[in-house]
Each structure stands twice: as structure tokens, then as C-alpha cells.
Amino acid sequence: MSEALWFPIVCGVLALLYGAYASRAVLSASAGTKRMQEIAAAIQEGASAYLNRQYLTIGLVGIVIFLVISFGLFDIMVGLGFAIGAILSGAAGYIGMNVSVRANVRTAAAAQKGLKEGLDIAFKAGAITGLLVVGLALLAVAGYYAVLVSIGAEGRAMVDPLVALGFGASLISIFARLGGGIFTKGADVGADLVGKVEAGIPEDDPRNPAVIADNVGDNVGDCAGMAADLFETYAVTTVATMVLASIYFVGNGALLIYPLLIGGACIITSIIGTFFVRLGASQNIMGALYKGFIVTAVLSALALLPITAWAVGLDSEFTIGVKSFTGWSLFWCGVTGLVVTGLLVWVTEYYTSTEYRPVRSIARASETGHGTNVIQGLAISMEATAIPAIIIVAGIIVSYNLAALFGIAIAVTTMLALAGMVVALDAYGPVTDNAGGIAEMADMDEGVRKITDALDAVGNTTKAVTKGYAIGSAGLGALVLFAAYTEDLAYFSKNVAEFPYFEGVMVNFSLANPYVVVGLLLGGMLPYLFGAMGMTAVGRAAGSVVVEVRRQFREIPGIMEGTAKPDYSRAVDMLTKAAIKEMVIPSLLPVLAPIVVYYVILGIADKSAAFSCVGAMLLGVIVTGLFVAISMTAGGGAWDNAKKYIEDGHHGGKGTDAHAAAVTGDTVGDPYKDTAGPAVNPMIKITNIVALLLLGMLAH
Amino acid sequence: MSEALWFPIVCGVLALLYGAYASRAVLSASAGTKRMQEIAAAIQEGASAYLNRQYLTIGLVGIVIFLVISFGLFDIMVGLGFAIGAILSGAAGYIGMNVSVRANVRTAAAAQKGLKEGLDIAFKAGAITGLLVVGLALLAVAGYYAVLVSIGAEGRAMVDPLVALGFGASLISIFARLGGGIFTKGADVGADLVGKVEAGIPEDDPRNPAVIADNVGDNVGDCAGMAADLFETYAVTTVATMVLASIYFVGNGALLIYPLLIGGACIITSIIGTFFVRLGASQNIMGALYKGFIVTAVLSALALLPITAWAVGLDSEFTIGVKSFTGWSLFWCGVTGLVVTGLLVWVTEYYTSTEYRPVRSIARASETGHGTNVIQGLAISMEATAIPAIIIVAGIIVSYNLAALFGIAIAVTTMLALAGMVVALDAYGPVTDNAGGIAEMADMDEGVRKITDALDAVGNTTKAVTKGYAIGSAGLGALVLFAAYTEDLAYFSKNVAEFPYFEGVMVNFSLANPYVVVGLLLGGMLPYLFGAMGMTAVGRAAGSVVVEVRRQFREIPGIMEGTAKPDYSRAVDMLTKAAIKEMVIPSLLPVLAPIVVYYVILGIADKSAAFSCVGAMLLGVIVTGLFVAISMTAGGGAWDNAKKYIEDGHHGGKGTDAHAAAVTGDTVGDPYKDTAGPAVNPMIKITNIVALLLLGMLAH
């Protein structure tokens, strides 16, 4: 069956070709006036400076880990897997960001012609990032798998390098998410606090010394960070599904390749979908974007049938334990994944759109002050976890009943196969956000600013929606990783002749085992501690921006009158240093936690207790991580849009006390939704994948 | 061994006698001037009106459940157990509140003489509530157990009535916690928002129409609510430990009575401890309170040795599964419980006292605005979960290694045996808070207000510390309940001849079972949903208070000049209605959840899956509940004291922007620490105890 590998590789190349085509289209558009290009250049420069520095730091950590994996714990093939995952995850973010910082000014220029033209450039830029993410991820996994097959790797020699590939992607992703998140929200919160609140100047006003940093942040956080994140989820989940297939269906290569074929098919449907993103007569931007998304989803469901027939045969029978199922069951698992995606998108929109009760209740609560705004926002953020949890639970039950644990894996794989389109919707956000900033700073026509604002408002929703999807898929993907951990462990314990370390290991994952309870509690703690670190880092970074901006207002006369230019690069520089410094320790938390817990429990009790405890910890991280992440991203989105709703003239509109309260809520929501919340995604998976690697290492 | 039952019963009576003695001492003190008595009467009246109405509503729900239990699902002995638990839990709260609303004015009067005299009255009032709570709880469990023994009840006929007693206590407790919490924080937030923030009048200013409601709230929330809460934790944990003993040590009554003897001994040590609460030369109030606490803890550790020797014999050997242990092991488990208590107190104080980094970091963040204050507060609230989680984990590991699951149960029982002293420290809080309010409203000397303020400041810390303890013990107590669920289930499944419903049930609690994952996620969801409801309710209640106060300021001329009296009773009335209405649905959430989940999963899959899912749900509630509750109560306490720290003159002191930001943080923290957070405690246990009852019902 491994001859079918040509298909995902061709599809991956197609995604890159689409990226090249769309890049040409974006870059050939007009970059506007000299003033606009100057501003855009400043943003570009800041973004590149930040990203170079970030990758340098990550690179150093990465090289150490590469050496340890290649020459210490494992071998060079495993090390290479790690390097491929890390480098391509970084590349996805890097290229995406580079497109984004060139598309922003072109979107602003195109908006002079009209809404349609602005949308076209901005969405194309997003689609480039989206398709690069899935294309590179699929190429990485399928390509490296092909290499491993060609050198005759089997068993652990096949699994370990692929898991290491996932680990490489995860490691980059958590650094990018957290570093980018701290940068972007440090800048945003800092700029808002002094600019909007103290000095009373509008957002993106060129007199604000932190304004360039704020625009740089959109690119390094929302674009590069999200790209690395979804690259990782995609790669890790595909690998975990393949590992499960290799355990459940020994000798049946078809099921190993099946997830790769699904990924390949959905790249084609995503490319088709991008051409359906068109403004209709109603000029509804969200409608235009959803059209592309829906076309992709429906075509993917349709494509799943022939792909399943080709890869595994619709009527072929499979067995896992006592459960028998057919290719049809797997097809329906894929459909379940698509339905879960649709439902998660819907519920996130309900909780974060200005149309519905949640956001409006926060806006109403703003009338009675800052305190009630924040209380209501926190209430909504907690409430927003309930329906997604039920959707995920339903997805688990349905796909498990269709095809046992492998059914869950296929559902998540299919869910993630849409990542190209979803990232396109997300990466569109920072482009329009920047375009608005450039329009404001370059003093462009009121009409242009109106168009960029309209594009940007939708960007807020798509960003929130993507986060809901990213977390849902991360949670489910982590469950697949967890299943891989338990199955691996069972396999090692059964074959102690081959894996002598596991001699006498009797893992007891029962909830009645106190070490399982201990593991659940320790795992549950991690997202809280990690979230706390992220929030503190943003608070600290923002505080230093506030101090710097106040200093510039004080020491550089003429800024407020517009006669002197603020020193933008100082703020960019400060944030770069702060973000890089602050991202390291929290990022290492999920890497070290499984290892430390394993050895501590081993010291107190024995191997069996230690493996049970680490396993439970993985699930503990998933359980609280899911709630922490959903509450943070949904709550943050709701706060943001409650402010927008008031700015649209409700509850008194701009300049009232209600508006001031809503700005406070928005500020609080910023690190929630753009730093701590989304960084929980890679965190959940890193904990799981490190545990998986730990097993591999002990078995080695 | 059941002849030893005289001991806990005598100790329970001793606690009531102490209550009578201390009540006389409090009531015989001077109640101050006519003006003071007028204000106190208004608070008394409001508190009684609220509590009567609350108990009427709970009573109606209670009677329905009593009838269903007695004549539908079980029998009259089970129904009676429920009634005893419910009535005595209610009584503990009711009496405690009645003492509290009489001690407040007497504390204010005594403060005219000096700090020592004020502290004496306030602490005595707290000690009455504390000892009533443990006395009534111990009498309820030991007394009803004696009754059941005397009528020859055995097996399920013994267990079910005791579990129902726990359920009765839990049900009252969740209503009292939530209703009281909504009332008190609706009043507090509402009063602060219009009074402090809008009108610029100080706290407890008699011109504020919500001021009486605010003082009523302290009593019904902090005093009656906390009393019912700890009554419940105490009763439920003791019952669960007895249930475990009855399963593990069939025919060995000594271990069944052992937890009751521990409870009895600690009542004596608590009474002794109260006499050590004395101001030293340093006039350190916290030191005086801690002296009493430390004496109680040390004496309890010492008393544990003879009690263990008497009850079970220090060298007697016991076996659970493959684990053997002696009476010595049980003694050390008890000591572990005491050490865990001490560590939880210490860490809560670290996170909520103005002396250390966490509170000061929030105060510092206030300088840059409302937003950064809230961000830092949220960060601290999340961070504050880590060390308590590790302490609890260490407690589990140590006591499990000493004496298996029964060891954990004994550790928690001993931890809770200190509840009398801990509640005394807590119930002291609302008395001093009210005393300050009365001093302010009655326009007493500046010096008196200084003394009541000093007493009140300590009250903030003791309240936070008690909450840390309450949640830690609730989490561990719930683990004991969960153990009872799994052991009960195993017992039923093994004896299907006697319990035909369990024919063919093969419970699989392994984390690899997807229904376990589903249960963990559904359980994890409950504290989030419940917390969201509690926060929303407070926001809504506070909003309506704001509207009412604004109306009175507008429509009753002369309030601000002090020439006209505001209509205090309107605010009390509104809050009473709001709290009663809002408490019902969230309170039913944990009652219905296990039942609904059981039958839904039963419909989808089978009994085995349904029992596994419900079991996992119980643990899911504990895992996220612990983090939600700790983060809320610690965060709320930290926000509160950050405001106090600024009011003490740091970062510019009162009236600055930093102070305004700190007031916002305090407002946000209010429903966190006094409504949603503490109400999670009974919620966790209700879910567990309802599941236990469900098992009993299905076995019936």
C-alpha cells in the first residue's frame, strides 16, 4: 500500500504551489504610497527582528535537544525526525509572517478601490499561510515516513522518528505561541492603557510610541504563532494516528497511510474552497468567508468516500479487541470529525459574536462599571466551556462506537484536515488588523478606514472561531496521543523479552489507584500554572511598555502635537527582549513535567505506579487544559466584541463610562485569548508527546 | 466496641455546652447606645428575614426529597437520616448567624474599652458557631449511628441512612452557600459600585441605601453559609470513612467508630484552644488567633495517640487487599492530616496576605490601571492552585502508603476534626466586619473605628485561610466519597445474588476506557458551569442594587446631605428575592448531573459503561473543582488585600487611580471568593454523594 504515498506528497506539493501562486498575486498588487510603504517597512523590520531573535533562541534549545536525541537517548533517524518537525514548523510560521507583513499594506491600498479588492488580498494572504501549514506538515510526515519505509525501518525504528517529528513541531509551537503571545499582548495592552485610556488618542494613532510594536505583534502572535500551533496539531495528530494504526493493525500498511490520504484529499478541497470566498450581493464579509469554509467541508465529506474506498475498502472488516468495524465505519468517523468542527465553529461564534446574548450581556454589565464588566466576562468565559465539552464528548462517543479508539483518531485527523481553510480564516485577521493600522497611521481616507474596519471586525470573529477549533482539535488530538501512550505501554509490558526495562511493570490505570488520582491532580495543575506564568508575563511586558510610552510622552516634546516622531523601535526592542526572556521557563514546564513526575514517583513507589501516574497526568492536563483554554479564548473574544458593540453606539457608545469599562474588559481578555489560552494547546500536546518519547527512551 | 459511642456523644454535648456558656458571655456584654442598637436591629431583622425565607424555600425542596426518599426510593430510616442531616446543618447556620448578629454590636461596644475586649467578644462569637458546627455534626452522625445499631441495622440498612444524612447536610449546604453568597456579594458589589466609586462616600456610610444589606450579607453568607458548608464536609467525610470501614473491615466495629472518636477528642482540644486566644504584649491579633489554632493542632496530635490506642490498638494489624498496616500507621495518617491542614493554612496566607509577593504584585499592577490589576489578579489566582495541589498530592501519597485508601480517609477525618477551631477563626470575620459597619454608621469615635478596622483586617485573612482549608478538605473528602462509590460498586457487582440489578456489570475504570474520558470531561465541566451561574447571579443582583441605589439618590432628596434617611429595607428585600431565585437552578445541577449522565449513557451503551462514566465524572468534578475553587478563593482574597495594601498608603494610597483600579479588582474578587468559589465545595461533594445514593437506590 505504501505506493499510495505519492498521493499525499503530490497534494502537499500542490499546497506549496498554491502558496507560490497566491504569493505572486499578493505581491504584484500595489503597495500604496511612500508613506504607507514606510510604515509597512517599519512593521516588517520589527517583525523580522523579533522572529529572527526568537528562532535564534529556539534554535539554540533545539540544537541541544537534537544532539541529546541523536547521540544520547536515541539515534540519528530520531534526531532527524525532530529536526524536520522543528524546522518545518518554524518555516510555516516564518513564511506566513513574511507574507502577512507584505499583504497588510497591499490590503490597505486595495481597500481604496473597494471592499471586494481589500478582502481578496487579505484572504489570499491568509490562505497562503493556511495551505503552507497543512502542505508542509503533510509533506513532513508523509515524506519522512516514505524515507523510513525506504530504509526498511520497522516497529520502534519507525515509530520513534515520527514521534520525534511531532515533538520537534510541538517544541517550536509552544515557543512561538507563547513568545508571540507575550509580544503581541504586551504591546496591545500597553499601547491601549496609555494611548486610549490615559492620553485619549485612538487606536493605531501614529503619536503612540507603541503603535508599531502593536502591529508587529499581530503578525508574530496571531500569524506566526497560530501557524506553528496548527502545524504542530496537524503533524502530531497524524503521527499519533499512524502509531495507533501500527499497533492495532500490525502488517496492514493501508490503515497507516489512510490518515495521510485524508490529509491530502482535504488539501485539494481546501484549495477549491478558497476560490469560493467571494463577496455576494449582500456585501457580507463573514458570509463570503463561510462560503469558502462550507464548500471545503462539504467537498471533504464527499471526498472521504472515494478516499476510504481506495485506501482501506468500504466493506473491509477490521477488529480492535472485541470491536469489529468496516471501512464504512471509518468513513462515518471522518464525517463525525467534520460535524464536530462545524459545531465548534458555531458555538464559538455564538459566544463571541455581537449578535447574541453572551457578548451583549457583557456590554450591558459595562453600564454599572469596570467591576461588573469583568465579573460578567468571567462568567461568560466559564459558561462558554460547557457546550464545546458536550460536543467533544458526543464526538468521542460516536466515533468510539463506530470504530473504537481508532475511530476517535480518524475523526480528529479529518477534523484537522480542514486546518488549511481554518488557518486561512485566522491568518486573514492580522493582515486586516495591520491594514487598518496602516490606513490610520498614513492618514488615509475615512472611506478606506471604514473598509479596513469592516474587514477587521470580521477578523475578530474568525480569530475566535479558529481558536475554538484549534483547542477542540488539540484536546481530541491529545486523547489520541494518550491512547498511543497506553497502547505503547501495554505493548512494552507484554514483550519484556524485547524491552527488558518493562519487566514486571503492571500498569493500573484504574481511577481507584491513588497514583492515578495523584497524576490527574498534577496534570490538572499544569495548565493553571502555565496560564499564570503567561498572564504574569504579559502584565509585566505591558507594564514596561506603559512606563516607556509615558517616558516618551514626557521627554520628547511635540509628540502629542504631531510635530515630533516617537521612537517606535524602542518599544519593539523592549518587547522582543521581554517576550524571549519570558517564554523559556513556561515552555519548559510541559517538557520537564512528565519526566520529573516519572522519576519522583519511581523513587517513592515503583515503575508501575510511576507509569500510571504519568498516564493519568496526561489526561489531567487534557481535562483542565481544555476548560482553561476554551474559557480563556472564548471569554477574551467576548470581551473584545462587547467593546466593539459599545463602540458601535450601544449603551452610550464611545467615550462613556460604559465604554471605559468595556476597554478594561478587552484589556483583561487580551492575554486570556491571545497568550495564555492558545498556548495551552501546544502545552497539552507537548506533555503527551514527551511522555511518549520517555517510553520510547526507556524501551530503547 | 459500640459502647465507646458514649465518647463522641459526650464530646458533642460538651461542644453545645461550650456554645451555651460562650453565648451567655457574649449576650451579657453591653449592646452599646440606642443608635447602635437600632442599627444592629436593622441588620438582625434583615438577616432573619433572609434566612427565614431561604429556609422556607429549602424546606419545601427538602420535604419533597424527604418524601421521595422515605416512601419512594428507600425507606423511612433513610428518610430520617436525610432529615437529620438537613435540619442540623440548617440549625448550625441559623444559630451561628443569630449569635453573630448579636455579637457585632457588642464587639463595637467592647471596642470602646480596647482591642483586647473587642477581640474577646468577636472571637467568642466565632467559637460558638465553630463548636456548634462540629458538635451538631458529630452528634448527628454518632447519635444516628447509635440509633441504627440499637435497632439492629446492618449492611445497606446501616450505610444508606448514614449516606442520606450526608446528603441532607450537603443539600442545605449548597443552598446556603450559594444563596448567602449571592446575597452578600450582590450587596457588597452593588454598594461599592455606587457608593465608593460613583458617589465617593466611604464604605459603611449610612447614606448608602445598600449599607444595611451589605452588613446583612456578611452574616448570611460568611457566617451561616460557611457553617452549613463545614457541617456538611464534616458529616459527609465522617460518614464516607465509616462506609469504607464497613466495607474493608467487615465485622470489626472498632474501625467504624474510630473516626467518631477522633472527632470527639478534637472537640475537647478545640475548646481548650479557644482559651489560648489572647492578645500578647505585641498586640498582634493574628498571633492571638494562631495561638489558639496551634494549641488545638498540637493537642490534637497528642490526643490522637491514646485515642488510637483505645479505639483500635496501636499494634493491632489490619489488611486491605495486599496492604498490611497497624494502629501506628493510622496514627501517622491522622498526623498527616494535621500537617496538611497547617501547610494549607500557611500557603493560603502567603497568597492572600499583604506581607508577601502575590498581593504586592497586584497592588503594583494597579498603578498601570484597571486592566493590569485584573490581569495580575487572575495570574495570581491561577498560580495559587499549584502549591495546594502539591500538598494534597503529598498527603494522598503519604497516607496511602501508610494505610491504603483507609489511610487517606483517616487523614481527612483528622483534618476535619479541627473544623471547630477553623470555623471559629472564620465566623469571627463577619462579626468584626459588622462591628466596623456599626461603628461607622453610629458615628462612633475614630479610635473605636481604628480598633474594629484592625480586627476586620485580620478577619479578611482568616476568612481566606478558612476557605483554603475548606476546599482542601472538601477535595480530599470527596476522594473518600469516590472511594466509597468504587468500593460499593465492586461489592454490588460481586454479590449479584443479593443485588440483581448489578448482574453482568463489569466496571472498567481504566483511563483507556473512553467512557471514563467522557466522564472526566463531563465532570470537569460542572464546576465551570456552576461557577458561571454563580458569577452571573451576583452580577445580576449587584446590577439591580446599583439601579435601586441610584434611584434612591435621585428620588429621595437630602440623602447625601444626611437630612433624609435612605430606604434600607428595599435593598434587603430585593436581594433576598434575587438570591432565593438564583440559587435554585445551580444547586440542582450537581444533584441531577450524576442521575442524568447515568441514564443517558445507559441508553447509549450499557450499565457497565454508565457506572464507569459516572465514576469518572465524580473524579472529574473533584479535579477541576479543586482548581476552580482554590483559584477563586485565593485570587479573591489577594485582590481584597491588594486594595487594603494601597489604602494603607502604598502606591499613592486612597483616592489615586491605582486605588480605583484596586477597587475594581476587589469587586471582581468578591463573587470569586465569596460566592462561586466556596459554593464549589458542597457542589463537589453533592455530585459524589448523589452518585452513592444512586447506587444504593439501584441496589435497593
Side-chain angles (χ1 to χ4, degrees):
Chain A
M1 188 64 199
S2 68
E3 64 275 18
L5 268 177
W6 65 265
F7 180 72
I9 292 178
V10 165
C11 293
V13 172
L14 265 184
L16 302 192
L17 289 177
Y18 175 88
Y21 143 78
S23 296
R24 258 227 329 243
V26 168
L27 292 179
S28 66
S30 154
T33 64
K34 186 156 164 292
R35 172 84 187 113
M36 288 163 67
Q37 292 183 29
E38 263 174 38
I39 297 166
I43 298 174
Q44 256 172 59
E45 198 186 306
S48 295
Y50 172 74
L51 228 56
N52 288 338
R53 192 136 167 186
Q54 175 180 290
Y55 282 142
L56 186 70
T57 310
I58 305 179
L60 291 176
V61 177
I63 288 172
V64 172
I65 296 183
F66 170 78
L67 294 175
V68 171
I69 289 181
S70 299
F71 306 108
L73 304 176
F74 294 95
D75 54 40
I76 187 73
M77 290 314 285
V78 180
L80 270 181
F82 170 79
I84 292 173
I87 291 170
L88 290 187
S89 169
Y94 202 82
I95 303 174
M97 194 226 43
N98 269 301
V99 172
S100 178
V101 293
R102 283 169 181 78
N104 52 9
V105 63
R106 290 171 172 83
T107 301
Q112 291 175 309
K113 293 186 218 151
L115 188 62
K116 182 183 163 302
E117 286 75 8
L119 172 65
D120 189 49
I121 302 271
F123 178 74
K124 273 222 178 73
I128 297 167
T129 309
L131 281 157
L132 274 180
V133 164
V134 290
L136 287 175
L138 193 62
L139 279 176
V141 179
Y144 200 48
Y145 175 72
V147 169
L148 291 167
V149 168
S150 74
I151 62 166
E154 270 187 341
R156 298 311 302 173
M158 171 64 82
V159 169
D160 288 337
L162 288 177
V163 172
L165 192 154
F167 177 54
S170 293
L171 195 72
I172 296 300
S173 161
I174 196 164
F175 280 118
R177 257 296 184 210
L178 205 56
I182 294 168
F183 188 107
T184 180
K185 291 302 124 171
D188 193 359
V189 171
D192 281 3
L193 281 175
V194 221
K196 278 196 203 172
V197 181
E198 286 184 22
I201 54 179
E203 196 161 338
D204 292 324
D205 192 293
R207 291 171 292 178
N208 191 331
V211 71
I212 293 289
D214 188 6
N215 281 285
V216 168
D218 293 337
N219 293 295
V220 301
D222 290 341
C223 186
M226 177 58 99
D229 184 357
L230 274 164
F231 178 97
E232 179 251 8
T233 308
Y234 192 101
V236 162
T237 308
T238 313
V239 165
T241 307
M242 292 171 75
V243 171
L244 277 187
S246 77
I247 294 169
Y248 289 138
F249 314 105
V250 179
N252 188 342
L255 284 152
L256 215 73
I257 294 180
Y258 180 48
L260 298 174
L261 301 187
I262 295 176
C266 290
I267 285 183
I268 299 178
T269 58
S270 296
I271 293 177
I272 299 175
T274 61
F275 293 102
F276 282 81
V277 174
R278 277 183 201 299
L279 272 187
S282 65
Q283 298 284 301
N284 182 337
I285 308 169
M286 200 69 216
L289 295 172
Y290 274 158
K291 233 185 292 169
F293 175 74
I294 292 168
V295 166
T296 304
V298 171
L299 288 182
S300 299
L302 294 178
L304 216 51
L305 201 62
I307 286 290
T308 309
W310 175 40
V312 299
L314 288 171
D315 296 315
S316 312
E317 295 221 5
F318 309 94
T319 310
I320 295 177
V322 296
K323 177 85 192 167
S324 288
F325 55 90
T326 64
W328 276 107
S329 318
L330 294 177
F331 165 72
W332 287 115
C333 288
V335 172
T336 304
L338 296 175
V339 171
V340 166
T341 304
L343 290 175
L344 286 178
V345 167
W346 164 76
V347 71
T348 317
E349 185 166 350
Y350 172 74
Y351 273 102
T352 56
S353 148
T354 52
E355 297 295 310
Y356 307 103
R357 175 191 59 83
V359 168
R360 294 192 173 181
S361 73
I362 299 177
R364 198 175 326 109
S366 310
E367 284 198 7
T368 40
H370 301 267
T372 40
N373 168 291
V374 176
I375 290 174
Q376 185 61 23
L378 287 172
I380 291 297
S381 77
M382 297 181 81
E383 187 193 309
T385 61
I387 302 178
I390 290 171
I391 293 170
I392 288 172
V393 158
I396 292 173
I397 292 178
V398 169
S399 46
Y400 178 76
N401 277 309
L402 282 166
L405 281 176
F406 193 66
I408 299 178
I410 290 301
V412 197
T413 302
T414 314
M415 191 173 170
L416 279 164
L418 291 191
M421 187 39 118
V422 178
V423 173
L425 297 183
D426 181 77
Y428 153 96
V431 174
T432 59
D433 199 343
N434 263 232
I438 293 172
E440 180 79 30
M441 285 184 274
D443 216 5
M444 291 170 74
D445 269 4
E446 192 59 27
V448 174
R449 179 78 221 210
K450 263 223 175 91
I451 288 180
T452 58
D453 271 356
L455 291 170
D456 188 25
V458 172
N460 263 328
T461 307
T462 60
K463 276 190 275 181
V465 161
T466 314
K467 279 169 204 150
Y469 162 85
I471 290 158
S473 60
L476 281 164
L479 282 180
V480 180
L481 284 172
F482 172 74
Y485 175 86
T486 57
E487 296 294 338
D488 253 14
L489 198 51
Y491 181 77
F492 292 149
S493 317
K494 256 184 268 164
N495 299 283
V496 286
E498 199 180 337
F499 308 107
Y501 185 87
F502 294 83
E503 178 84 55
V505 169
M506 298 266 289
V507 175
N508 171 9
F509 276 138
S510 166
L511 298 179
N513 175 1
Y515 287 105
V516 167
V517 174
V518 164
L520 285 171
L521 288 173
L522 289 177
M525 185 189 82
L526 290 179
Y528 273 84
L529 192 53
F530 182 78
M533 288 174 172
M535 298 281 286
T536 309
V538 171
R540 208 150 35 201
S544 66
V545 169
V546 168
V547 172
E548 168 64 16
V549 171
R550 283 183 186 159
R551 185 194 65 80
Q552 292 203 19
F553 278 149
R554 204 172 51 236
E555 297 181 5
I556 309 179
I559 288 188
M560 285 302 283
E561 296 73 33
T563 55
K565 248 180 83 174
D567 180 1
Y568 298 126
S569 62
R570 272 294 294 267
V572 173
D573 233 45
M574 274 179 49
L575 281 163
T576 300
K577 281 182 202 143
I580 304 286
K581 200 182 80 186
E582 303 262 11
M583 77 182 179
V584 177
I585 290 176
S587 298
L588 292 180
L589 185 67
V591 175
L592 297 179
I595 302 170
V596 170
V597 167
Y598 178 77
Y599 284 105
V600 167
I601 302 293
L602 184 63
I604 294 172
D606 53 22
K607 285 179 193 171
S608 304
F611 283 124
S612 311
C613 190
V614 169
M617 187 175 87
L618 304 182
L619 210 50
V621 178
I622 298 174
V623 171
T624 64
L626 200 67
F627 292 101
V628 168
I630 295 178
S631 67
M632 284 183 161
T633 54
W639 262 313
D640 194 343
N641 274 337
K643 185 197 67 177
K644 285 236 156 29
Y645 185 70
I646 290 181
E647 287 176 351
D648 289 346
H650 304 273
H651 303 288
K654 274 192 189 182
T656 56
D657 285 350
H659 183 235
V663 170
T664 294
D666 179 39
T667 311
V668 173
D670 272 340
Y672 243 49
K673 74 178 198 301
D674 289 321
T675 312
V680 168
N681 290 355
M683 200 225 121
I684 295 175
K685 280 163 293 160
I686 288 200
T687 322
N688 278 273
I689 210 154
V690 167
L692 213 49
L693 270 185
L694 177 71
L695 279 189
M697 190 195 90
L698 295 173
H700 199 69
Chain B
M1 186 67 199
S2 69
E3 66 275 17
L5 267 177
W6 65 264
F7 180 72
I9 292 179
V10 165
C11 293
V13 172
L14 266 183
L16 301 192
L17 289 178
Y18 174 87
Y21 143 77
S23 296
R24 259 228 326 246
V26 168
L27 292 178
S28 66
S30 153
T33 64
K34 188 155 163 290
R35 172 83 187 117
M36 287 163 69
Q37 292 184 30
E38 263 175 39
I39 297 166
I43 299 174
Q44 256 173 59
E45 198 186 306
S48 294
Y50 172 73
L51 227 57
N52 288 338
R53 190 136 167 187
Q54 175 181 291
Y55 282 141
L56 185 70
T57 310
I58 304 179
L60 291 175
V61 178
I63 288 172
V64 172
I65 296 183
F66 170 77
L67 294 175
V68 171
I69 289 182
S70 299
F71 307 108
L73 304 177
F74 293 95
D75 54 40
I76 186 73
M77 289 314 285
V78 180
L80 270 182
F82 170 79
I84 292 172
I87 291 170
L88 290 187
S89 170
Y94 201 81
I95 303 174
M97 193 225 44
N98 268 301
V99 173
S100 177
V101 293
R102 282 167 182 80
N104 53 10
V105 63
R106 290 171 172 83
T107 301
Q112 292 174 307
K113 293 186 220 151
L115 188 62
K116 182 182 164 303
E117 286 77 7
L119 172 64
D120 188 50
I121 301 271
F123 178 74
K124 272 221 178 71
I128 297 168
T129 308
L131 280 157
L132 273 179
V133 164
V134 290
L136 287 175
L138 193 62
L139 278 177
V141 178
Y144 200 48
Y145 175 71
V147 170
L148 291 167
V149 168
S150 74
I151 62 167
E154 272 187 339
R156 298 312 300 174
M158 171 63 84
V159 168
D160 288 338
L162 289 176
V163 172
L165 191 154
F167 177 53
S170 293
L171 195 72
I172 296 299
S173 161
I174 197 165
F175 279 117
R177 256 296 182 209
L178 206 56
I182 294 169
F183 188 107
T184 181
K185 291 303 124 170
D188 192 358
V189 172
D192 280 2
L193 282 174
V194 223
K196 278 198 204 171
V197 182
E198 286 183 23
I201 53 180
E203 195 161 338
D204 292 324
D205 192 292
R207 290 171 293 178
N208 191 330
V211 71
I212 292 290
D214 189 7
N215 281 283
V216 168
D218 293 338
N219 293 296
V220 300
D222 289 342
C223 185
M226 178 57 99
D229 184 357
L230 275 165
F231 178 97
E232 179 252 7
T233 307
Y234 193 102
V236 161
T237 307
T238 312
V239 165
T241 306
M242 291 170 76
V243 171
L244 277 187
S246 78
I247 294 170
Y248 288 138
F249 314 106
V250 178
N252 187 343
L255 284 153
L256 215 75
I257 294 181
Y258 180 48
L260 298 174
L261 300 187
I262 295 177
C266 290
I267 284 184
I268 299 177
T269 58
S270 297
I271 293 178
I272 300 174
T274 61
F275 293 103
F276 283 81
V277 174
R278 277 182 201 297
L279 272 187
S282 64
Q283 299 283 303
N284 181 337
I285 308 170
M286 200 69 218
L289 295 172
Y290 273 159
K291 232 185 292 169
F293 175 74
I294 290 169
V295 165
T296 304
V298 170
L299 288 182
S300 301
L302 294 178
L304 215 51
L305 201 62
I307 285 289
T308 309
W310 175 40
V312 300
L314 288 171
D315 296 314
S316 313
E317 294 221 6
F318 309 94
T319 309
I320 296 176
V322 296
K323 177 85 193 169
S324 288
F325 54 90
T326 63
W328 277 106
S329 318
L330 294 177
F331 165 71
W332 287 113
C333 288
V335 173
T336 304
L338 296 175
V339 172
V340 166
T341 304
L343 290 174
L344 285 177
V345 166
W346 164 75
V347 71
T348 317
E349 185 167 349
Y350 172 73
Y351 273 102
T352 57
S353 148
T354 51
E355 297 294 311
Y356 306 104
R357 175 191 58 86
V359 167
R360 293 193 174 180
S361 73
I362 299 176
R364 197 174 329 109
S366 310
E367 284 198 9
T368 40
H370 301 266
T372 39
N373 168 291
V374 176
I375 290 173
Q376 185 60 23
L378 287 171
I380 292 297
S381 77
M382 297 180 81
E383 187 194 309
T385 61
I387 302 178
I390 291 171
I391 294 170
I392 288 172
V393 158
I396 292 174
I397 292 178
V398 169
S399 46
Y400 179 77
N401 277 309
L402 282 166
L405 281 177
F406 193 66
I408 299 178
I410 290 301
V412 197
T413 302
T414 315
M415 192 174 170
L416 280 164
L418 293 190
M421 186 39 114
V422 178
V423 173
L425 297 183
D426 181 77
Y428 154 95
V431 174
T432 59
D433 200 345
N434 263 231
I438 292 172
E440 180 78 31
M441 285 185 273
D443 215 5
M444 290 168 75
D445 269 4
E446 191 59 27
V448 173
R449 179 76 221 212
K450 262 225 173 90
I451 287 181
T452 59
D453 271 356
L455 291 170
D456 188 24
V458 172
N460 263 329
T461 307
T462 60
K463 275 191 276 181
V465 161
T466 314
K467 278 168 205 151
Y469 162 84
I471 290 157
S473 60
L476 280 165
L479 283 180
V480 180
L481 284 171
F482 172 74
Y485 174 87
T486 58
E487 296 295 338
D488 253 14
L489 198 51
Y491 181 77
F492 292 148
S493 316
K494 256 184 267 163
N495 298 284
V496 286
E498 199 181 338
F499 308 108
Y501 184 87
F502 294 84
E503 177 84 54
V505 169
M506 298 266 290
V507 175
N508 171 8
F509 276 138
S510 165
L511 298 178
N513 175 2
Y515 288 105
V516 168
V517 174
V518 163
L520 285 170
L521 287 174
L522 289 177
M525 185 191 81
L526 290 180
Y528 274 84
L529 193 53
F530 181 80
M533 289 174 172
M535 299 280 286
T536 309
V538 170
R540 207 148 38 201
S544 66
V545 169
V546 168
V547 172
E548 167 64 15
V549 172
R550 283 183 186 160
R551 185 193 66 77
Q552 291 203 20
F553 278 150
R554 205 173 50 236
E555 296 181 7
I556 309 179
I559 289 189
M560 284 302 284
E561 295 73 31
T563 55
K565 250 181 79 172
D567 182 359
Y568 298 127
S569 62
R570 271 294 294 268
V572 173
D573 232 47
M574 274 178 50
L575 280 164
T576 300
K577 280 182 202 144
I580 304 286
K581 200 181 81 187
E582 303 264 11
M583 77 181 179
V584 178
I585 290 176
S587 298
L588 292 179
L589 185 68
V591 176
L592 297 179
I595 302 171
V596 170
V597 167
Y598 178 77
Y599 284 105
V600 167
I601 302 293
L602 183 62
I604 295 172
D606 54 23
K607 285 179 194 172
S608 304
F611 283 124
S612 313
C613 190
V614 169
M617 187 176 88
L618 303 183
L619 211 50
V621 178
I622 297 174
V623 172
T624 63
L626 200 67
F627 292 101
V628 168
I630 295 179
S631 67
M632 286 183 160
T633 54
W639 262 312
D640 193 343
N641 274 337
K643 186 196 67 177
K644 284 235 158 28
Y645 185 70
I646 290 181
E647 288 177 351
D648 288 346
H650 304 272
H651 303 288
K654 274 191 189 181
T656 57
D657 285 349
H659 183 235
V663 170
T664 294
D666 178 40
T667 311
V668 173
D670 272 339
Y672 243 49
K673 74 177 198 301
D674 289 320
T675 312
V680 167
N681 289 355
M683 202 225 121
I684 295 175
K685 279 163 293 160
I686 287 200
T687 321
N688 277 273
I689 210 154
V690 167
L692 212 50
L693 270 185
L694 177 72
L695 279 190
M697 191 194 88
L698 296 173
H700 199 69

